[in-house]
Amino acid sequence: MEVAPAYKSRSGWNALLPQRIAKNQAPKDRRFRTVVVGAGYTGLAAARRLAELAPGEEVLLLDAATIGEGASGRNSGFLLINPGEPSANAAGFAGDWAVRQIALVQAGLDWLRQLVEIYSIDCDWQESVPAITAAATSRGEESVRATCSRYQSWAIESKEYRHDELRRLVGTGYYRYGIQSLTRALVQPAALHRGLADSLPDAVTLLENTAVNSFSGEAPFRLQTSRGEFVADRLFVTNNLHARSLGIARNRMIGIYTYGAFTPQLDEAELSPLGEAPQWGALPAHRMGTTLRKTMGRLLIRSGDSYERELDPDKVRAMLARLYRDRFPGMRTHEFEHVWGGLTAVTHNGAFYFGQARPGLFASVGCGGAGVTRGTIHGKLLAELACGSQSTLLTDRLALRGPNWLPPEPFRRMGATAQIAWEQWLAGAER
Ligand SMILES: Cc1cc2nc3c(=O)[nH]c(=O)nc-3n(C[C@H](O)[C@H](O)[C@H](O)COP(=O)(O)OP(=O)(O)OC[C@H]3O[C@@H](n4cnc5c(N)ncnc54)[C@H](O)[C@@H]3O)c2cc1C
């Protein structure tokens, strides 16, 4: 089992930013009160909140990759407030389960907005760009209409878009119906990820390009890393799927790769077939569908799902070019400047593994979709849990159930690949 992701291509978002010098200087001290493993949105939030709650406490934050290159800098930049877990039953809440879950994720969004303002993080944070959930098929339309009714029952207003309105907005007649999604902001995700990492409190030492290979069982924990041993009284595991290789949630998560691509910078003539709005985002009506964004003078497309293994980049390029052509046949070319894969952790019931695993060992992993806001609030609450803080949000988070058990290989693979194939078929032209 790999200890950390090893992607075949750079994140397109990160490649668009100026070069950044990674924090590669290993500290002289080898012993820290707290070590956090994984500097995605979850780990960054946990490390920041720990430093806020326990001033003077030195925190070491380790990441196997460089900031901007993990999934946190590879995603599509939709900051969503969707209730993450699919049903009241999974959540363990009563009738107001969605409202309480939305409040959790909203708190993640609010904290991010505050940090972006305080530290002037230049990440193209946009709250007024149209972000819709769009359906291309009758089945998709049915599902989006059902979603719209759900929003109404949660007292969330959602604008509806007819076929002709969608065509005007996004420039393609591919979609028949849409609603305003639960996206509350759109960002340049690698810029947000970098900005959060580069504005950490002084008490946090960030060390990039450092993979944690293993750790010993009891506090103080001895961590074996690619830069030697570190010792920690408290350990936070926030490296999502790869927590499995550290013995956490081993039988609770699978890895699903999905894929993104950017066109080159388009000139005015090429941008006009992409609709009258200068920027927009479109999420699919099915979870195996295709996401699009018109942003920074380019088209972003995200689609495809593969079990545990990253597909060959040439095949991904061809697949994404086909989906782009299907939607915008009139474009001069369907070429991409950047194509990349990204890994998400998927649990059977959509739930996170969250809490204290044993004395001194805290973990929040299992973050799939909506991970920018959900990962952030989970990291923050994990630090609050460790520091003994109390709040309604934390109580609500602790009431959520954990992820379901998954069968071992080869049954896991067989089940997951069959489910992916079935859902891809169901998604049809939403892909
Ligand atoms: C293509 C794509 C599009 C997406 N679109 C969206 C979107 O629009 N909106 C949204 O909210 N979410 C989206 N997501 C999901 C989102 O990116 C994730 O849910 C989010 O990044 C999870 O954050 P995290 O901090 O929990 O994990 P990660 O971002 O995966 O961070 C974990 C970190 O741990 C590090 N690590 C792993 N193993 C080790 C180790 N052994 N030692 C040290 N470090 C280690 C990794 O390098 C990584 O930086 C998308 C994901 C992908 C791949």
Side-chain angles (χ1 to χ4, degrees):
M1 195 180 278
E2 276 177 346
V3 296
Y7 293 114
K8 296 183 197 261
S9 327
R10 283 194 74 189
S11 153
W13 293 100
N14 206 29
L16 296 182
L17 295 173
Q19 208 166 348
R20 171 183 170 277
I21 298 170
K23 299 200 165 42
N24 284 328
Q25 191 67 44
K28 283 200 194 80
D29 286 343
R30 289 277 149 178
R31 182 162 187 150
F32 285 79
R33 167 87 175 112
T34 304
V35 172
V36 179
V37 181
Y41 291 112
T42 307
L44 286 169
R48 179 185 296 279
R49 192 65 180 143
L50 280 168
E52 284 176 1
L53 292 176
E57 176 168 325
E58 293 292 313
V59 179
L60 177 64
L61 172 59
L62 301 172
D63 199 285
T66 52
I67 297 296
E69 281 299 327
S72 289
R74 286 173 180 262
N75 61 67
S76 307
F78 288 73
L79 272 55
L80 294 144
I81 55 155
N82 288 8
E85 284 148 51
S87 69
N89 188 33
F93 289 165
D96 62 346
W97 66 276
V99 173
R100 289 160 77 175
Q101 285 203 49
I102 289 172
L104 269 176
V105 194
Q106 178 75 46
L109 173 81
D110 292 343
W111 198 40
L112 283 172
R113 184 193 294 108
Q114 213 181 347
L115 295 173
V116 164
E117 277 167 16
I118 293 172
Y119 297 106
S120 306
I121 297 174
D122 183 6
C123 62
D124 198 24
W125 181 285
Q126 304 272 358
E127 298 203 4
S128 53
V129 167
I132 49 185
T133 302
T137 62
S138 56
R139 204 198 308 256
E141 178 172 341
E142 224 172 275
S143 149
V144 176
R145 284 189 186 278
T147 302
C148 191
S149 313
R150 264 202 307 278
Y151 291 173
Q152 275 161 9
S153 70
W154 302 336
I156 293 177
E157 275 182 38
S158 180
K159 183 173 163 17
E160 289 179 272
Y161 292 84
R162 293 188 316 265
H163 170 78
D164 53 322
E165 290 169 313
L166 285 172
R167 179 193 280 277
R168 239 191 347 269
L169 183 75
V170 303
T172 170
Y174 194 82
Y175 297 107
R176 50 192 282 158
Y177 174 75
I179 58 168
Q180 188 185 338
S181 69
L182 292 189
T183 306
R184 290 295 176 262
L186 285 160
V187 295
Q188 204 298 16
L192 175 63
H193 191 215
R194 285 186 184 193
L196 292 171
D198 292 341
S199 62
L200 283 167
D202 289 346
V204 180
T205 303
L206 169 63
L207 184 56
E208 298 169 60
N209 293 311
T210 308
V212 175
N213 299 319
S214 63
F215 67 88
S216 69
E218 306 298 327
F221 301 98
R222 304 192 91 81
L223 284 84
Q224 307 308 321
T225 81
S226 54
R227 288 179 201 260
E229 185 178 275
F230 289 96
V231 180
D233 299 320
R234 267 198 318 207
L235 183 58
F236 279 64
V237 176
T238 54
N239 63 338
N240 217 13
L241 184 74
H242 288 82
R244 293 185 310 186
S245 70
L246 301 176
I248 306 230
R250 206 184 268 273
N251 292 320
R252 313 268 152 176
M253 305 185 275
I254 59 168
I256 300 289
Y257 281 87
T258 183
Y259 302 90
F262 261 133
T263 64
Q265 186 88 39
L266 303 172
D267 62 26
E268 274 310 310
E270 287 174 302
L271 281 172
S272 63
L274 299 180
E276 63 184 25
Q279 297 197 55
W280 49 260
L283 292 166
H286 190 279
R287 70 175 183 160
M288 297 278 162
T290 297
T291 300
L292 298 169
R293 267 182 79 179
K294 182 183 180 187
T295 180
M296 302 179 305
R298 299 168 188 263
L299 188 83
L300 167 88
I301 183 163
R302 188 229 37 95
S303 200
D305 305 88
S306 60
Y307 177 74
E308 297 283 350
R309 261 208 203 114
E310 189 175 353
L311 300 175
D312 173 62
D314 289 337
K315 286 203 179 121
V316 171
R317 185 178 286 273
M319 181 241 331
L320 294 176
R322 177 175 53 76
L323 299 175
Y324 176 21
R325 196 175 300 111
D326 288 349
R327 284 159 175 81
F328 298 98
M331 297 300 284
R332 217 163 36 223
T333 74
H334 296 90
E335 282 164 12
F336 297 122
E337 185 173 328
H338 298 285
V339 177
W340 64 95
L343 190 52
T344 58
V346 174
T347 63
H348 185 250
N349 55 344
F352 277 52
Y353 180 97
F354 175 90
Q356 181 163 209
R358 13 185 218 277
L361 174 60
F362 297 86
S364 178
V365 297
C367 192
V372 182
T373 46
R374 285 182 91 203
T376 298
I377 194 60
H378 276 77
K380 184 170 187 261
L381 291 176
L382 193 67
E384 292 177 3
L385 174 71
C387 294
S389 304
Q390 289 181 358
S391 65
T392 311
L393 281 186
L394 183 55
T395 307
D396 278 355
R397 173 46 261 189
L398 290 170
L400 298 177
R401 302 217 175 111
N404 292 344
W405 178 83
L406 296 168
E409 296 293 1
F411 306 105
R412 191 181 302 180
R413 167 176 295 276
M414 282 155 50
T417 48
Q419 169 112 14
I420 291 173
W422 167 241
E423 290 209 30
Q424 284 179 339
W425 180 83
L426 279 180
E430 307 299 346
R431 291 187 68 210

